[in-house]
Amino acid sequence: MPQNKRGKLVVVTGPAGVGKSTILRSVMETTGSRFSVSVTTRAPRPAERNHRDYHFIDEPTFQGMRDHGELLEWAKVFDHYYGTPAAPICEAIDAGQTVILDIDLQGARQVRVKCPQAMFVLILPPDHETLVARLTGRGTENEEQLKIRLAKAQQEMEAAQASGLYNHQIVNDDLHRAVRELVEIVTQGAPQQ
């Protein structure tokens, strides 16, 4: 009797404004992979929908999930909590699906400890000016918030590159090429368990 093929976990990290959401939408449409919807205590942005972009929850609910070991990873970023519920990911991988996580370096380090077989992909902007233009164009932060976000993005990119954690790096200077590169990574054979 043939053995069921396990799915795999692909962890994607990159600063805000690098184009992760756009790339990931195309990759999921092309590959049929599943996106892991994180939980967060922050309020939704205007275009975001509950249960599609995030599960928007209150802080006591988040802390209960964290304290009961229900999160694969979690972090506090800009005064809000973010985390990845573990059960849906484990179920999908056991069912042979590929699951994509969009998380920061801090979360990726936690996932590496719990799931060392995962693939880790870092998406980078072509340069600092492009990142500034993309973040400014979103119009979701005031000038002070933008300055803080850019400083954090720079620190995180440098730390991620120095971490040795990422199997792959993609520079998003051409959207179609970046999507093709991530599709190739996602469709590589699942690790054997």
Side-chain angles (χ1 to χ4, degrees):
M1 181 177 240
Q3 201 175 14
N4 286 342
K5 186 176 179 182
R6 279 183 53 86
K8 66 179 170 179
L9 181 59
V10 178
V11 176
V12 177
T13 301
V18 78
K20 290 187 311 286
S21 297
T22 304
I23 293 169
L24 292 177
R25 269 194 298 278
S26 293
V27 168
M28 287 183 295
E29 287 172 10
T30 303
T31 65
S33 3
R34 185 173 158 189
F35 183 68
S36 170
V37 180
S38 298
V39 294
T40 185
T41 59
R42 77 162 169 75
R45 292 185 181 124
E48 291 177 329
R49 287 197 321 228
N50 196 23
H51 307 301
R52 181 194 70 184
D53 300 294
Y54 286 95
H55 299 291
F56 295 97
I57 61 175
D58 60 26
E59 197 166 314
T61 302
F62 185 95
Q63 290 172 345
M65 293 177 75
R66 179 196 63 204
D67 295 347
H68 289 99
E70 298 173 19
L71 299 174
L72 180 61
E73 60 82 31
W74 68 275
K76 187 171 186 180
V77 181
F78 298 116
D79 297 322
H80 299 290
Y81 289 99
Y82 294 81
T84 303
I89 291 173
C90 294
E91 291 165 7
I93 290 171
D94 288 345
Q97 297 177 335
T98 295
V99 180
I100 298 176
L101 294 183
D102 174 4
I103 58 177
D104 68 4
L105 174 61
Q106 181 180 350
R109 286 183 169 135
Q110 293 174 56
V111 172
R112 172 65 86 187
V113 171
K114 295 176 182 174
C115 303
Q117 74 282 5
M119 307 262 325
F120 293 82
V121 182
L122 179 61
I123 299 180
L124 299 167
D127 52 50
H128 182 73
E129 292 74 25
T130 301
L131 185 62
V132 171
R134 289 176 182 170
L135 282 175
T136 304
R138 290 187 343 178
T140 56
E141 289 98 6
N142 63 37
E143 191 173 329
E144 184 61 29
Q145 291 169 324
L146 185 61
K147 188 187 299 184
I148 292 168
R149 191 172 285 277
L150 283 167
K152 179 162 175 50
Q154 188 63 40
Q155 290 170 349
E156 182 156 314
M157 285 186 296
E158 290 170 6
Q161 289 177 301
S163 72
L165 181 68
Y166 294 90
N167 310 94
H168 305 277
Q169 289 187 21
I170 297 173
V171 175
N172 185 15
D173 55 356
D174 176 283
L175 179 62
H176 297 296
R177 185 186 51 72
V179 168
R180 275 194 316 271
E181 287 182 24
L182 189 53
V183 164
E184 288 175 19
I185 293 164
V186 167
T187 56
Q188 290 175 0
Q192 298 301 309
Q193 298 294 317

